[in-house]
Amino acid sequence: MKSKKNLVPKRLLVRKICVLGLGYIGLPTALLLAQKYLVIGVDINEKIITTLNNGNLPFVEKELDNLFRKVRGNFTATTTVKPADVFIIAVPTPLEESLKIADLQYVRSAAEMIAPHLKRGNLVILESTVPPCTSENVVLPILEKSGLSRNEFLFVHCPERAIPGNTLFEMINNDRIIGGINEKSRNTAKNVYASFVKGRVLITDTTTAEFVKLMENTSRDVNIALANEFAKIASEMRINVWEAIDLANRHPRVKILQPGPGVGGHCIAIDPWFLTETSTQAQMISLARTINDSMPNYVLSKVRNILRGVSNPVITLWGVAYKKNVDDWRATPALRLTRLIQSEGWDVRLHDPFVRNFPYTLQNLHESVLGTDCIIIMTDHDIFQEINPSELRVRSKNIVDTRNSLKKEKWKNEGFAVYTLGDGTSFHSG
Ligand code: SAJ
């Protein structure tokens, strides 16, 4: 009877890699791997597959188009999983909003799609962010439907850590964490990532790797919540929080993040809930979520103040992407603010130079401000710095800067009242 150790071939010769999920993480990962391997990119969204097979990219990300052109010969896009030596799961894990728990349907179906193709010694890599123990309790049992036990194939969780807007650079240079079910899995995965990763590769088990990923994003969310709370307190005390944060961050052990109109994106605004769902101890984490989700209401309370006495006010939001210079609007605070403004019965106009397919109509810059009473900067895209205030045909010259991003004098010189979140002078909520 073969011992467990010999159930997996000595060395996995990797030629073909199948990446499931061609979104903001899966596609750059697939293209980086295609520099060395034959890569089959799989996505259930036919529009993404058609776009890629027509030689175009489904979203904007720095340098990605150059890499795509360089590795096209090694990369094919399809809607169906094909046999491979390595399978990478990089599908979204959205939040089940009503229960505030991870929605693992895409991870489950990806594992279901791999199982029929899984061969002895193949490696499966889970990159999607998941609650702790998901690999052990959810993914591995599905992969074992292949008829192979988890001793007969390899498995790791390698959480992605790259920041949208600088994804390729961080995928190559950031340290990587590989949480594997055994040494062979960890070493085989290490060799695969070594094809493009220059950062250190750190080894652990699957559950610790799952937990670490959530700690990273949760620590950022909690720190942003603290910055937002400082902004609210500073406003009450007529203190400029931006100046105060600058000064406090001169302390060698202090790094306060930036306040703003809320936290968006598919990660920081979501992942902390993957910890609260599995624990009874998560007080600060839930509170931080509440504080960050309250920022659009805080901004609205200020706008109400500014527009007191204005009948049928018109409001304009500039920037609906969840952060600057990206086209991603998932969980953006601009969505919440738009709905809040509409529930006031006010007219709201939206403009964003990067975003497509937003649930509300996006107008071009000048249309968006025609007859408006208040412009709100929600996302501080760099391109907004080039706007000439004198060209804007507004009804009332009010601009609210939730990101402390504007050159104030330029706007004040054109007669605009500039209100900056947290500046201690202009931004006082009702
Ligand atoms: N934000 C603030 N104040 C700040 C920093 C950010 O209000 O000081 C807001 C942003 O405007 C945005 C949100 O927080 O709405 C998140 O933006 P981000 O740039 O902080 O992060 P993401 O979501 O783009 O990327 C994060 C990164 N995680 C960490 O930095 C710990 C990235 O490394 C992860 O790979 C990514 O989540 C992910 O996919 O998990």
Side-chain angles (χ1 to χ4, degrees), residues 119-171:
K119 298 270 179 310
R120 192 185 299 277
N122 283 170
L123 167 65
V124 178
I125 301 177
L126 176 65
E127 284 219 5
S128 305
T129 304
V130 290
C133 304
T134 300
S135 297
E136 286 292 332
N137 300 342
V138 176
V139 181
L140 284 163
I142 295 175
L143 294 175
E144 288 178 322
K145 288 186 187 168
S146 63
L148 298 171
S149 77
R150 60 189 69 185
N151 302 315
E152 296 174 284
F153 59 87
L154 308 174
F155 180 88
V156 304
H157 173 53
C158 180
E160 56 77 18
R161 311 169 98 190
I163 203 154
N166 199 18
T167 298
L168 287 178
F169 176 85
E170 292 211 355
M171 279 186 170

Side-chain angles (χ1 to χ4, degrees), residues 162-207:
I163 203 154
N166 199 18
T167 298
L168 287 178
F169 176 85
E170 292 211 355
M171 279 186 170
I172 295 167
N173 297 292
N174 282 4
D175 291 352
R176 283 257 172 180
I177 295 186
I178 292 183
I181 56 175
N182 51 41
E183 197 182 346
K184 193 173 221 37
S185 299
R186 293 189 280 264
N187 292 339
T188 308
K190 208 172 169 178
N191 295 336
V192 170
Y193 282 106
S195 69
F196 66 87
V197 171
K198 295 194 180 111
R200 283 171 306 159
V201 176
L202 308 154
I203 299 299
T204 183
D205 61 79
T206 55
T207 304

